[in-house]
Amino acid sequence: QNSEGPSSSPGRTRRTAAQRRAFLRDDPLAGEVEPRQVLCRGCRKWIRLSSKTEYSVNNCPASRVATAERKIVLLNDPQVKNFSKGRVQCRTCRTAVDLEGGVDYELTKWTEHKETCIP
């Protein structure tokens, strides 16, 4: 079977199931990886993948939902003065905390900062 299907974008090669699986396993936020779901290490929730293609995140709203959930945490945190996708400014000590992890609003560094923040 041709790796380019009718649903492929021009100039974009489709990955095989093995390549998609390896991509997910290499993700630092991915825990267990199954053909139709991935366990998020950050929130400990199962993220559903495509129901039509194994190990596929295409057309899957779960990553957008997870991003929105992380953003809401920051919006509701009284210790946050302001934030962007990659940085949070602490209202308590005025430090700018760079967020790391390869996803928008990754909260690990912010959580670590809050545990050690001194006004």
Side-chain angles (χ1 to χ4, degrees), residues 14-64:
R14 294 179 67 184
R15 293 181 181 170
T16 65
Q19 290 170 322
R20 291 188 302 269
R21 181 179 181 204
F23 176 79
L24 290 169
R25 283 190 167 176
D26 289 342
D27 187 326
L29 291 177
E32 294 180 52
V33 176
E34 296 180 1
R36 303 281 185 234
Q37 62 183 1
V38 175
L39 181 63
C40 175
R41 286 185 180 171
C43 67
R44 304 269 189 241
K45 293 181 183 177
W46 283 98
I47 307 299
R48 283 186 297 204
L49 302 176
S50 171
S51 61
K52 296 180 181 183
T53 307
E54 290 187 345
Y55 305 106
S56 180
V57 295
N58 291 345
N59 301 319
C60 179
S63 63
R64 292 190 303 266

Short mmCIF file of all heavy atoms in Angstrom, two decimals, residues 14-64:
data_model
loop_
_atom_site.label_atom_id
_atom_site.label_comp_id
_atom_site.label_asym_id
_atom_site.label_seq_id
_atom_site.Cartn_x
_atom_site.Cartn_y
_atom_site.Cartn_z
N ARG A 14 2.99 10.24 5.36
CA ARG A 14 2.30 9.64 6.49
C ARG A 14 3.25 8.70 7.21
O ARG A 14 4.01 7.96 6.60
CB ARG A 14 1.07 8.88 6.01
CG ARG A 14 0.04 9.82 5.41
CD ARG A 14 -1.16 9.08 4.92
NE ARG A 14 -1.85 8.49 6.07
CZ ARG A 14 -2.91 7.72 5.97
NH1 ARG A 14 -3.40 7.42 4.79
NH2 ARG A 14 -3.49 7.24 7.04
N ARG A 15 3.19 8.68 8.52
CA ARG A 15 4.02 7.80 9.33
C ARG A 15 3.37 6.43 9.41
O ARG A 15 2.15 6.31 9.41
CB ARG A 15 4.18 8.35 10.74
CG ARG A 15 4.96 9.63 10.81
CD ARG A 15 5.07 10.08 12.24
NE ARG A 15 5.80 11.33 12.31
CZ ARG A 15 5.89 12.06 13.39
NH1 ARG A 15 5.31 11.68 14.50
NH2 ARG A 15 6.57 13.17 13.39
N THR A 16 4.20 5.42 9.56
CA THR A 16 3.68 4.07 9.79
C THR A 16 3.24 3.96 11.25
O THR A 16 3.60 4.79 12.09
CB THR A 16 4.76 3.01 9.51
OG1 THR A 16 5.80 3.17 10.48
CG2 THR A 16 5.32 3.12 8.10
N ALA A 17 2.49 2.90 11.56
CA ALA A 17 2.06 2.68 12.94
C ALA A 17 3.27 2.56 13.87
O ALA A 17 3.27 3.08 14.98
CB ALA A 17 1.18 1.44 13.03
N ALA A 18 4.32 1.90 13.41
CA ALA A 18 5.53 1.74 14.22
C ALA A 18 6.19 3.10 14.48
O ALA A 18 6.68 3.35 15.59
CB ALA A 18 6.50 0.79 13.53
N GLN A 19 6.21 3.97 13.49
CA GLN A 19 6.79 5.30 13.66
C GLN A 19 5.95 6.15 14.62
O GLN A 19 6.49 6.85 15.47
CB GLN A 19 6.91 6.01 12.31
CG GLN A 19 7.97 5.42 11.41
CD GLN A 19 7.89 5.98 10.00
OE1 GLN A 19 6.82 6.23 9.46
NE2 GLN A 19 9.06 6.18 9.39
N ARG A 20 4.63 6.05 14.49
CA ARG A 20 3.75 6.81 15.39
C ARG A 20 3.90 6.30 16.83
O ARG A 20 3.94 7.09 17.78
CB ARG A 20 2.29 6.70 14.93
CG ARG A 20 2.01 7.42 13.62
CD ARG A 20 0.53 7.47 13.31
NE ARG A 20 -0.11 6.18 13.21
CZ ARG A 20 -0.24 5.47 12.10
NH1 ARG A 20 0.25 5.92 10.96
NH2 ARG A 20 -0.86 4.30 12.12
N ARG A 21 4.02 5.00 16.98
CA ARG A 21 4.20 4.41 18.32
C ARG A 21 5.52 4.88 18.93
O ARG A 21 5.57 5.27 20.10
CB ARG A 21 4.17 2.89 18.20
CG ARG A 21 4.32 2.19 19.53
CD ARG A 21 4.25 0.69 19.33
NE ARG A 21 4.36 0.01 20.61
CZ ARG A 21 4.77 -1.22 20.74
NH1 ARG A 21 5.08 -1.94 19.68
NH2 ARG A 21 4.85 -1.76 21.92
N ALA A 22 6.59 4.86 18.14
CA ALA A 22 7.90 5.31 18.63
C ALA A 22 7.86 6.79 19.01
O ALA A 22 8.42 7.20 20.03
CB ALA A 22 8.97 5.07 17.56
N PHE A 23 7.16 7.60 18.21
CA PHE A 23 7.02 9.03 18.49
C PHE A 23 6.34 9.24 19.85
O PHE A 23 6.79 10.04 20.67
CB PHE A 23 6.22 9.69 17.37
CG PHE A 23 5.92 11.14 17.61
CD1 PHE A 23 6.89 12.11 17.38
CD2 PHE A 23 4.67 11.55 18.06
CE1 PHE A 23 6.62 13.46 17.60
CE2 PHE A 23 4.39 12.89 18.27
CZ PHE A 23 5.37 13.84 18.05
N LEU A 24 5.27 8.51 20.09
CA LEU A 24 4.55 8.63 21.36
C LEU A 24 5.39 8.13 22.53
O LEU A 24 5.41 8.73 23.60
CB LEU A 24 3.22 7.87 21.30
CG LEU A 24 2.16 8.49 20.40
CD1 LEU A 24 0.99 7.53 20.20
CD2 LEU A 24 1.67 9.81 20.97
N ARG A 25 6.11 7.03 22.34
CA ARG A 25 6.95 6.50 23.42
C ARG A 25 8.09 7.45 23.77
O ARG A 25 8.54 7.48 24.91
CB ARG A 25 7.51 5.13 23.02
CG ARG A 25 6.49 4.05 23.14
CD ARG A 25 7.11 2.70 22.99
NE ARG A 25 6.17 1.68 23.41
CZ ARG A 25 6.40 0.41 23.31
NH1 ARG A 25 7.54 -0.04 22.82
NH2 ARG A 25 5.48 -0.45 23.71
N ASP A 26 8.56 8.22 22.79
CA ASP A 26 9.64 9.18 23.03
C ASP A 26 9.17 10.45 23.72
O ASP A 26 9.98 11.24 24.18
CB ASP A 26 10.34 9.55 21.71
CG ASP A 26 11.16 8.41 21.14
OD1 ASP A 26 11.49 7.47 21.88
OD2 ASP A 26 11.49 8.47 19.93
N ASP A 27 7.86 10.66 23.78
CA ASP A 27 7.32 11.85 24.41
C ASP A 27 7.52 11.76 25.92
O ASP A 27 7.08 10.81 26.55
CB ASP A 27 5.82 11.97 24.09
CG ASP A 27 5.20 13.26 24.58
OD1 ASP A 27 5.62 13.77 25.65
OD2 ASP A 27 4.30 13.76 23.91
N PRO A 28 8.19 12.75 26.54
CA PRO A 28 8.45 12.67 27.98
C PRO A 28 7.19 12.70 28.84
O PRO A 28 7.22 12.29 29.99
CB PRO A 28 9.33 13.89 28.26
CG PRO A 28 9.08 14.82 27.12
CD PRO A 28 8.74 13.96 25.94
N LEU A 29 6.07 13.16 28.29
CA LEU A 29 4.83 13.19 29.06
C LEU A 29 3.99 11.94 28.87
O LEU A 29 2.96 11.78 29.53
CB LEU A 29 4.00 14.42 28.66
CG LEU A 29 4.59 15.76 29.08
CD1 LEU A 29 3.73 16.90 28.57
CD2 LEU A 29 4.74 15.83 30.58
N ALA A 30 4.42 11.05 27.99
CA ALA A 30 3.66 9.83 27.74
C ALA A 30 4.12 8.72 28.67
O ALA A 30 5.31 8.44 28.79
CB ALA A 30 3.82 9.39 26.28
N GLY A 31 3.16 8.10 29.33
CA GLY A 31 3.45 6.93 30.16
C GLY A 31 3.23 5.69 29.31
O GLY A 31 3.93 5.47 28.33
N GLU A 32 2.21 4.92 29.65
CA GLU A 32 1.88 3.74 28.85
C GLU A 32 1.33 4.18 27.49
O GLU A 32 0.56 5.12 27.41
CB GLU A 32 0.84 2.89 29.57
CG GLU A 32 1.35 2.26 30.85
CD GLU A 32 0.27 1.43 31.51
OE1 GLU A 32 -0.31 0.56 30.82
OE2 GLU A 32 0.00 1.67 32.69
N VAL A 33 1.76 3.46 26.46
CA VAL A 33 1.30 3.77 25.10
C VAL A 33 0.58 2.55 24.55
O VAL A 33 1.16 1.47 24.47
CB VAL A 33 2.49 4.15 24.18
CG1 VAL A 33 2.03 4.38 22.75
CG2 VAL A 33 3.20 5.38 24.72
N GLU A 34 -0.68 2.73 24.20
CA GLU A 34 -1.49 1.68 23.61
C GLU A 34 -1.99 2.16 22.25
O GLU A 34 -1.99 3.36 21.98
CB GLU A 34 -2.66 1.33 24.53
CG GLU A 34 -2.20 0.75 25.87
CD GLU A 34 -3.35 0.39 26.79
OE1 GLU A 34 -4.52 0.58 26.40
OE2 GLU A 34 -3.07 -0.08 27.91
N PRO A 35 -2.45 1.25 21.39
CA PRO A 35 -2.87 1.65 20.04
C PRO A 35 -3.95 2.73 20.00
O PRO A 35 -3.95 3.57 19.10
CB PRO A 35 -3.41 0.35 19.43
CG PRO A 35 -2.69 -0.73 20.16
CD PRO A 35 -2.51 -0.21 21.56
N ARG A 36 -4.83 2.79 20.99
CA ARG A 36 -5.94 3.75 20.96
C ARG A 36 -5.92 4.75 22.11
O ARG A 36 -6.82 5.58 22.23
CB ARG A 36 -7.28 3.00 20.99
CG ARG A 36 -7.47 2.01 19.88
CD ARG A 36 -7.85 2.68 18.58
NE ARG A 36 -8.13 1.67 17.57
CZ ARG A 36 -7.55 1.64 16.38
NH1 ARG A 36 -6.69 2.56 16.05
NH2 ARG A 36 -7.84 0.70 15.53
N GLN A 37 -4.90 4.67 23.00
CA GLN A 37 -4.83 5.60 24.12
C GLN A 37 -3.41 5.69 24.67
O GLN A 37 -2.61 4.78 24.50
CB GLN A 37 -5.80 5.20 25.22
CG GLN A 37 -5.52 3.85 25.83
CD GLN A 37 -6.56 3.46 26.86
OE1 GLN A 37 -7.51 4.19 27.12
NE2 GLN A 37 -6.39 2.29 27.47
N VAL A 38 -3.13 6.82 25.34
CA VAL A 38 -1.83 7.06 25.96
C VAL A 38 -2.08 7.60 27.36
O VAL A 38 -2.94 8.46 27.55
CB VAL A 38 -1.00 8.09 25.15
CG1 VAL A 38 0.30 8.42 25.85
CG2 VAL A 38 -0.73 7.60 23.75
N LEU A 39 -1.32 7.10 28.32
CA LEU A 39 -1.43 7.58 29.69
C LEU A 39 -0.53 8.80 29.86
O LEU A 39 0.68 8.73 29.62
CB LEU A 39 -1.04 6.50 30.69
CG LEU A 39 -1.14 6.89 32.16
CD1 LEU A 39 -2.58 7.19 32.55
CD2 LEU A 39 -0.57 5.79 33.04
N CYS A 40 -1.11 9.94 30.26
CA CYS A 40 -0.34 11.16 30.49
C CYS A 40 0.33 11.07 31.85
O CYS A 40 -0.34 10.86 32.86
CB CYS A 40 -1.26 12.38 30.42
SG CYS A 40 -0.41 13.92 30.83
N ARG A 41 1.65 11.23 31.88
CA ARG A 41 2.37 11.19 33.15
C ARG A 41 2.08 12.41 34.01
O ARG A 41 2.13 12.34 35.22
CB ARG A 41 3.88 11.12 32.90
CG ARG A 41 4.33 9.79 32.42
CD ARG A 41 5.83 9.73 32.30
NE ARG A 41 6.21 8.42 31.82
CZ ARG A 41 7.41 8.09 31.45
NH1 ARG A 41 8.38 8.97 31.50
NH2 ARG A 41 7.66 6.87 31.02
N GLY A 42 1.79 13.54 33.37
CA GLY A 42 1.55 14.77 34.10
C GLY A 42 0.27 14.74 34.90
O GLY A 42 0.26 15.04 36.09
N CYS A 43 -0.83 14.35 34.26
CA CYS A 43 -2.14 14.40 34.94
C CYS A 43 -2.66 13.01 35.31
O CYS A 43 -3.70 12.89 35.93
CB CYS A 43 -3.15 15.12 34.07
SG CYS A 43 -3.58 14.26 32.54
N ARG A 44 -1.96 11.96 34.88
CA ARG A 44 -2.35 10.58 35.17
C ARG A 44 -3.70 10.21 34.55
O ARG A 44 -4.44 9.42 35.10
CB ARG A 44 -2.39 10.31 36.67
CG ARG A 44 -1.11 10.61 37.39
CD ARG A 44 -0.25 9.38 37.43
NE ARG A 44 0.90 9.60 38.31
CZ ARG A 44 2.15 9.55 37.86
NH1 ARG A 44 2.38 9.29 36.62
NH2 ARG A 44 3.15 9.73 38.70
N LYS A 45 -4.03 10.84 33.43
CA LYS A 45 -5.28 10.52 32.73
C LYS A 45 -4.96 9.82 31.42
O LYS A 45 -3.93 10.08 30.80
CB LYS A 45 -6.07 11.80 32.42
CG LYS A 45 -6.60 12.50 33.63
CD LYS A 45 -7.39 13.73 33.22
CE LYS A 45 -7.86 14.50 34.44
NZ LYS A 45 -8.56 15.74 34.05
N TRP A 46 -5.87 8.97 31.00
CA TRP A 46 -5.74 8.32 29.70
C TRP A 46 -6.23 9.30 28.64
O TRP A 46 -7.33 9.86 28.76
CB TRP A 46 -6.55 7.03 29.65
CG TRP A 46 -5.87 5.91 30.36
CD1 TRP A 46 -6.11 5.48 31.63
CD2 TRP A 46 -4.82 5.10 29.85
NE1 TRP A 46 -5.27 4.44 31.94
CE2 TRP A 46 -4.46 4.17 30.86
CE3 TRP A 46 -4.13 5.05 28.64
CZ2 TRP A 46 -3.46 3.23 30.70
CZ3 TRP A 46 -3.12 4.10 28.48
CH2 TRP A 46 -2.80 3.21 29.50
N ILE A 47 -5.44 9.49 27.61
CA ILE A 47 -5.78 10.37 26.50
C ILE A 47 -6.15 9.49 25.31
O ILE A 47 -5.34 8.68 24.86
CB ILE A 47 -4.59 11.28 26.11
CG1 ILE A 47 -4.05 12.03 27.34
CG2 ILE A 47 -4.97 12.21 24.98
CD1 ILE A 47 -5.03 12.95 28.00
N ARG A 48 -7.38 9.64 24.85
CA ARG A 48 -7.82 8.84 23.70
C ARG A 48 -7.16 9.32 22.42
O ARG A 48 -7.03 10.52 22.18
CB ARG A 48 -9.33 8.92 23.55
CG ARG A 48 -10.06 8.07 24.54
CD ARG A 48 -11.51 8.07 24.25
NE ARG A 48 -12.01 9.45 24.41
CZ ARG A 48 -13.23 9.76 24.68
NH1 ARG A 48 -14.14 8.84 24.78
NH2 ARG A 48 -13.59 11.01 24.84
N LEU A 49 -6.79 8.36 21.60
CA LEU A 49 -6.22 8.65 20.30
C LEU A 49 -7.28 8.38 19.24
O LEU A 49 -8.43 8.09 19.55
CB LEU A 49 -4.98 7.78 20.06
CG LEU A 49 -3.86 7.94 21.11
CD1 LEU A 49 -2.74 6.95 20.82
CD2 LEU A 49 -3.34 9.36 21.13
N SER A 50 -6.88 8.43 18.00
CA SER A 50 -7.81 8.19 16.90
C SER A 50 -8.43 6.81 17.01
O SER A 50 -7.77 5.83 17.36
CB SER A 50 -7.06 8.31 15.57
OG SER A 50 -7.87 7.87 14.50
N SER A 51 -9.71 6.72 16.69
CA SER A 51 -10.39 5.42 16.71
C SER A 51 -10.22 4.69 15.39
O SER A 51 -10.57 3.53 15.27
CB SER A 51 -11.87 5.61 17.02
OG SER A 51 -12.47 6.40 16.02
N LYS A 52 -9.65 5.38 14.39
CA LYS A 52 -9.52 4.77 13.06
C LYS A 52 -8.11 4.30 12.74
O LYS A 52 -7.94 3.38 11.96
CB LYS A 52 -9.97 5.78 12.00
CG LYS A 52 -11.44 6.13 12.12
CD LYS A 52 -11.85 7.11 11.08
CE LYS A 52 -13.33 7.44 11.27
NZ LYS A 52 -13.85 8.34 10.28
N THR A 53 -7.11 4.94 13.33
CA THR A 53 -5.72 4.63 13.02
C THR A 53 -4.95 4.41 14.31
O THR A 53 -4.99 5.26 15.20
CB THR A 53 -5.07 5.79 12.23
OG1 THR A 53 -5.89 6.10 11.11
CG2 THR A 53 -3.68 5.41 11.74
N GLU A 54 -4.23 3.29 14.41
CA GLU A 54 -3.47 3.00 15.63
C GLU A 54 -2.37 4.04 15.86
O GLU A 54 -1.69 4.46 14.94
CB GLU A 54 -2.84 1.61 15.54
CG GLU A 54 -3.86 0.50 15.62
CD GLU A 54 -3.22 -0.88 15.69
OE1 GLU A 54 -2.02 -1.03 15.39
OE2 GLU A 54 -3.94 -1.81 16.06
N TYR A 55 -2.21 4.44 17.13
CA TYR A 55 -1.18 5.36 17.60
C TYR A 55 -1.26 6.72 16.92
O TYR A 55 -0.26 7.42 16.79
CB TYR A 55 0.22 4.76 17.41
CG TYR A 55 0.39 3.41 18.05
CD1 TYR A 55 0.43 2.25 17.29
CD2 TYR A 55 0.49 3.30 19.43
CE1 TYR A 55 0.58 1.01 17.89
CE2 TYR A 55 0.63 2.06 20.03
CZ TYR A 55 0.68 0.92 19.26
OH TYR A 55 0.82 -0.30 19.86
N SER A 56 -2.42 7.13 16.49
CA SER A 56 -2.56 8.38 15.76
C SER A 56 -3.19 9.46 16.62
O SER A 56 -4.25 9.26 17.20
CB SER A 56 -3.41 8.17 14.51
OG SER A 56 -3.54 9.39 13.80
N VAL A 57 -2.55 10.62 16.65
CA VAL A 57 -3.10 11.76 17.38
C VAL A 57 -3.81 12.72 16.44
O VAL A 57 -4.37 13.71 16.88
CB VAL A 57 -2.01 12.52 18.16
CG1 VAL A 57 -1.44 11.66 19.25
CG2 VAL A 57 -0.92 13.03 17.25
N ASN A 58 -3.81 12.44 15.14
CA ASN A 58 -4.49 13.30 14.18
C ASN A 58 -5.98 13.36 14.47
O ASN A 58 -6.61 12.35 14.79
CB ASN A 58 -4.28 12.79 12.75
CG ASN A 58 -2.84 12.96 12.30
OD1 ASN A 58 -2.08 13.69 12.92
ND2 ASN A 58 -2.47 12.29 11.24
N ASN A 59 -6.53 14.54 14.36
CA ASN A 59 -7.95 14.78 14.57
C ASN A 59 -8.41 14.38 15.97
O ASN A 59 -9.56 14.07 16.18
CB ASN A 59 -8.80 14.05 13.52
CG ASN A 59 -8.44 14.49 12.13
OD1 ASN A 59 -8.24 15.67 11.88
ND2 ASN A 59 -8.35 13.54 11.21
N CYS A 60 -7.50 14.38 16.91
CA CYS A 60 -7.83 14.00 18.28
C CYS A 60 -7.89 15.25 19.15
O CYS A 60 -6.88 15.95 19.30
CB CYS A 60 -6.76 13.04 18.82
SG CYS A 60 -7.04 12.55 20.50
N PRO A 61 -9.06 15.58 19.70
CA PRO A 61 -9.16 16.81 20.49
C PRO A 61 -8.55 16.70 21.89
O PRO A 61 -8.45 17.69 22.58
CB PRO A 61 -10.67 17.01 20.60
CG PRO A 61 -11.24 15.64 20.51
CD PRO A 61 -10.32 14.88 19.58
N ALA A 62 -8.12 15.52 22.29
CA ALA A 62 -7.62 15.33 23.65
C ALA A 62 -6.45 16.23 23.98
O ALA A 62 -6.37 16.76 25.09
CB ALA A 62 -7.24 13.86 23.87
N SER A 63 -5.53 16.45 23.04
CA SER A 63 -4.38 17.30 23.34
C SER A 63 -4.82 18.74 23.54
O SER A 63 -4.28 19.45 24.39
CB SER A 63 -3.32 17.19 22.25
OG SER A 63 -3.83 17.64 21.03
N ARG A 64 -5.82 19.19 22.79
CA ARG A 64 -6.33 20.55 22.98
C ARG A 64 -7.03 20.67 24.33
O ARG A 64 -6.92 21.69 25.00
CB ARG A 64 -7.28 20.92 21.84
CG ARG A 64 -6.57 21.07 20.50
CD ARG A 64 -7.48 21.67 19.46
NE ARG A 64 -8.70 20.92 19.25
CZ ARG A 64 -8.89 19.98 18.34
NH1 ARG A 64 -7.92 19.66 17.53
NH2 ARG A 64 -10.05 19.35 18.24
#
